[in-house]
Amino acid sequence: MLRRILPFFLTIALLPTVQAQVLPLSEAMRTAVEQQPAVQAKQHYAAASEHMVHNARNAYLPNVIAGLQHAYGTVNGHYGPQAPVGMFGVASAGPYTGEQSWNAAFGALYVANVNWEVFTFGRLRANIDLAKAQWAQDSADLDQERFVQRIRTAGGYLNLLAAQAFIRNAEADRDRAEAVRTRVRARALSGLAAGVDSSIANAEAARTVMVLNDARTNERRIATELAQLLNRATADMALDTFYLAELPQVLATTRAVEDNPQALFFKARVQRGEQQAKSINRSLLPGVTVFGMYQGRGSGFGPGYVPGNTLA
């Protein structure tokens, strides 16, 4: 018997402690910033732009290309690659014979090419500055998105608090109208009041019920919107009612209007456009390039085949 009663009393004792955890406004804004897919996407954009800066800097490093060609065909006047991929127009050929040769064999060709644009007249620097400007724009866009999500969350949080307060007021108004309706109806049934008073009281009670239903519908809508921003269920949100008990303080800040995240984002866009114009103008400038090439050839023909065309 004791085993059956003990869990019941333990449940009754724990009921007052099982309450939804209060969600402060600061925690709600932090959660919204972390959970929003738009913020996460712009974080990846900013990270990609940072890597583009490193890529623009690496463009100054020498370019090394190696190639291997293995083919079967004639060697009549053809010693090297005619169109090497990613290399300069370097092609080698041997002497031509006076008649068509149908001799063929397997051959191999090894090519290594190194080229380095040592001087670009500021063109490379302009590309690096353009990549930095793009990174600054994407970073400013990320800060702006975080700012927008915080504003939306704060607005939804305070709107939900106001909607819950409207529900409490509507419930109190409904209880008042129901009490008046009960009293007036009793007086009308006893003949102490006219029947029209009872009709008026019934209409007033019905009106308060409609107002309460509208308030609950509005509260559910606002709670759903806030839950979408926080990426959580609406049932586990208990808001901090401190903002309903205290008057808001006058906001005083020394920050300039230009420090607004949206203003900084549009400023970064302008700077990025200006830097892009500079990069396009610098792209018309020439460059000084140093390059070197190594080529090795092997085939199934003997070393004296091409000069004499008699040895196989």
Side-chain angles (χ1 to χ4, degrees), residues 170-254:
E171 289 175 346
D173 193 23
R174 179 204 57 187
D175 295 340
R176 176 197 60 79
E178 184 64 25
V180 172
R181 187 184 72 85
T182 303
R183 177 176 297 184
V184 172
R185 184 173 180 272
R187 290 174 60 86
L189 291 176
S190 62
L192 298 177
V196 67
D197 293 341
S198 179
S199 299
I200 294 175
N202 290 335
E204 178 65 16
R207 185 193 63 82
T208 57
V209 172
M210 293 177 60
V211 171
L212 177 58
N213 291 335
D214 292 341
R216 287 174 176 172
T217 301
N218 183 57
E219 188 269 343
R220 284 193 292 268
R221 179 184 60 82
I222 297 176
T224 301
E225 294 176 354
L226 181 59
Q228 290 177 352
L229 292 174
L230 301 179
N231 194 21
R232 62 189 300 177
T234 58
D236 61 349
M237 287 193 302
L239 306 186
D240 188 2
T241 58
F242 169 79
Y243 302 98
L244 299 178
E246 296 289 338
L247 292 176
Q249 298 180 356
V250 178
L251 179 62
T253 179
T254 58

Side-chain angles (χ1 to χ4, degrees), residues 4 22 29 52 60-61 76 83 97 102 121 140 150 155 174 198 205 218 221 231-232 268 279 299 303-304 307 309:
R4 298 180 180 179
V22 176
M29 291 190 295
M52 291 299 295
Y60 187 70
L61 298 177
N76 184 18
T97 60
W102 297 99
F121 297 94
R150 291 190 184 102
R174 179 204 57 187
S198 179
N218 183 57
R221 179 184 60 82
N231 194 21
R232 62 189 300 177
S279 177
S299 70
N309 198 18

Side-chain angles (χ1 to χ4, degrees), residues 59-124:
Y60 187 70
L61 298 177
N63 187 22
V64 179
I65 299 176
L68 170 62
Q69 175 180 309
H70 189 78
Y72 177 78
T74 65
V75 292
N76 184 18
H78 186 194
Y79 279 5
Q82 299 293 330
V85 179
M87 304 180 185
F88 291 96
V90 177
S92 56
Y96 294 93
T97 60
E99 58 184 9
Q100 177 66 35
S101 174
W102 297 99
N103 297 329
F106 285 100
L109 181 67
Y110 306 92
V111 180
N113 179 61
V114 179
N115 60 84
W116 184 20
E117 195 172 14
V118 295
F119 194 71
T120 62
F121 297 94
R123 176 163 37 85
L124 181 60

